[in-house]
Amino acid sequence: MESLSAKKSKRMLVDFTNPNPKCPREIFLDLNNNCNCKCFFCGNTKIAGYAYLDKALAFRVMKEFYDMGTREIALYATGEPFLRNDLAEFVSKAKKIGYEYVFITSNGILATPERAKAVLDAGLDSIKFSVNAGTRESYKKVHGVDQFEAVVRNIKWFHEYRKESGLRYKIYASMVPTHITKDEGKALAGAIGAFVDELDYRGCSNQGGNMIENNMTEQIDAKNLLGSLRKGQFTGKCPDIFSRCVVTPEGYLSACCVDYQNYLVTADLNTTSAKDAWNNEVYVALRKRHISGDLETLICYNCINNQSGETVPLTKRHAKPFTKKGRIPA
């Protein structure tokens, strides 16, 4: 199985000149857009209304994308996957369809042995824990909840269960250092380093143009797209437009995994097949704008250039603009 570093490198292996790619390399099913953490740097804190993805729709779309050629699937995007009590069913369905790599990112609070065992036994290939502090005190300030010790305990269980069960899933963790936790990388490594396969330190980003206010407290590197593409990797163009897509909890197809406002929705999968939605005129036009660099008024422009210009959604009827402010850091 590929390492986390190898997956990052593969993310850049796209044709930035083709507005009609055959299929996405990976799809994200946003099973729900709610979260039990309120990280101050995350756009999720500004979502006013939450939704849960319909299971029948999700299963249909999973099969349609697989038939197109997609082989990797994420069961999360803007929300916490373990808030779904039926998460194991989605993993099982993806593996039965034939997906080669099924993965999630979780804050780990609800990834208890009671909940996680069924998900792992269903065939999950990897989990990445988002742990954005190295101490209990800082974790509470960043995440907005006092759950650091519970998360460490759950990560340790994942490590122990892998040895006990003989399953081969990967265990990753990531940290977004902020002004509160910039010196806590070693502390986090000391707490969980022995229990994970890789610990990734990501840059703080503007969250796909949704959190420009992070510039008030953090130093945002405009050459580090979403905090995960380092200098030397970032080309000035977004690879995800050509190789990823997201099924939102409402059943829409979006071009971005942090499209908290549905500003990059290209189609309604409730009434459209995955194949038709992936290369419809709205999606093709969006890719052409990325190819030419004509991104002004798109949230993509704010993301790539770390700007705060006025934005317009691709399909206004599907958009849900923020109606509340995010959490102010402690």
Side-chain angles (χ1 to χ4, degrees):
M1 193 178 299
E2 288 181 317
S3 67
L4 189 60
S5 301
K7 283 189 64 62
K8 281 188 176 185
S9 297
K10 190 169 72 173
R11 185 174 163 198
M12 294 302 299
L13 299 178
V14 299
D15 182 356
F16 289 98
T17 67
N18 181 12
N20 296 91
K22 177 184 176 183
C23 67
R25 178 175 60 82
E26 59 186 10
I27 62 170
F28 286 67
L29 296 189
D30 204 3
L31 302 186
N32 68 275
N33 57 359
N34 202 349
C35 188
N36 52 336
C37 282
K38 300 299 175 187
C39 298
F40 75 85
F41 59 82
C42 180
N44 185 280
T45 60
K46 298 195 290 187
I47 295 177
Y50 298 105
Y52 284 72
L53 181 60
D54 178 75
K55 190 183 301 182
L57 172 65
F59 287 179
R60 189 204 91 207
V61 171
M62 290 163 67
K63 181 63 165 60
E64 290 177 355
F65 273 113
Y66 182 85
D67 289 343
M68 290 166 60
T70 302
R71 292 295 181 267
E72 298 184 10
I73 186 169
L75 300 176
Y76 75 99
T78 64
E80 166 55 46
F82 275 100
L83 283 171
R84 291 284 302 234
N85 292 327
D86 54 359
L87 177 58
E89 292 183 48
F90 286 89
V91 176
S92 178
K93 183 65 173 180
K95 298 308 288 187
K96 286 179 181 177
I97 289 173
Y99 279 94
E100 298 169 2
Y101 188 69
V102 182
F103 61 105
I104 60 173
T105 288
S106 168
N107 58 47
I109 295 172
L110 295 176
T112 60
E114 295 77 17
R115 286 175 174 261
K117 184 178 182 299
V119 175
L120 295 173
D121 291 347
L124 188 72
D125 291 296
S126 80
I127 180 171
K128 179 161 67 67
F129 292 94
S130 179
V131 190
N132 300 299
T135 66
R136 178 182 177 183
E137 179 182 19
S138 295
Y139 185 95
K140 185 176 181 179
K141 290 179 180 178
V142 174
H143 286 257
V145 293
D146 186 9
Q147 294 287 346
F148 179 75
E149 293 175 354
V151 170
V152 171
R153 189 163 55 246
N154 289 341
I155 293 174
K156 183 178 180 180
W157 178 85
F158 269 74
H159 175 76
E160 294 174 344
Y161 185 64
R162 185 169 62 178
K163 291 190 295 183
E164 172 191 324
S165 66
L167 296 173
R168 300 179 62 186
Y169 57 85
K170 290 289 188 178
I171 309 169
Y172 304 125
S174 65
M175 175 184 181
V176 176
T178 62
H179 71 284
I180 297 173
T181 61
K182 61 183 179 180
D183 298 319
E184 292 191 4
K186 289 184 178 180
L188 181 60
I192 66 172
F195 312 125
V196 301
D197 300 309
E198 289 185 58
L199 178 53
D200 181 36
Y201 298 98
R202 304 165 62 97
C204 189
S205 75
N206 60 43
Q207 288 273 298
N210 292 287
M211 290 294 293
I212 299 297
E213 53 265 55
N214 283 342
N215 284 292
M216 296 175 61
T217 57
E218 314 306 323
Q219 184 174 351
I220 308 300
D221 179 6
K223 302 299 183 183
N224 190 354
L225 189 66
L226 297 185
S228 60
L229 292 182
R230 310 296 202 273
K231 290 181 179 178
Q233 289 183 306
F234 184 55
T235 66
K237 297 183 185 297
C238 176
D240 300 343
I241 294 292
F242 304 88
S243 62
R244 284 178 173 176
C245 62
V246 178
V247 181
T248 76
E250 301 87 357
Y252 305 145
L253 189 69
S254 172
C256 182
C257 62
V258 287
D259 185 15
Y260 298 102
Q261 303 182 83
N262 286 352
Y263 269 36
L264 293 177
V265 166
T266 65
D268 184 351
L269 292 169
N270 293 283
T271 57
T272 307
S273 70
K275 185 176 182 179
D276 289 341
W278 174 243
N279 273 321
N280 69 6
E281 59 182 13
V282 179
Y283 219 145
V284 171
L286 175 62
R287 295 191 194 102
K288 287 181 177 178
R289 290 185 68 174
H290 273 261
I291 291 170
S292 67
D294 175 27
L295 299 177
E296 290 192 38
T297 74
L298 290 177
I299 199 167
C300 306
Y301 182 87
N302 289 348
C303 174
I304 291 174
N305 297 289
N306 197 30
Q307 299 294 317
S308 56
E310 186 175 349
T311 57
V312 177
L314 285 180
T315 50
K316 189 174 182 179
R317 66 184 180 278
H318 298 317
K320 50 174 189 178
F322 291 136
T323 57
K324 63 180 182 179
K325 296 181 180 179
R327 187 173 71 85
I328 298 173

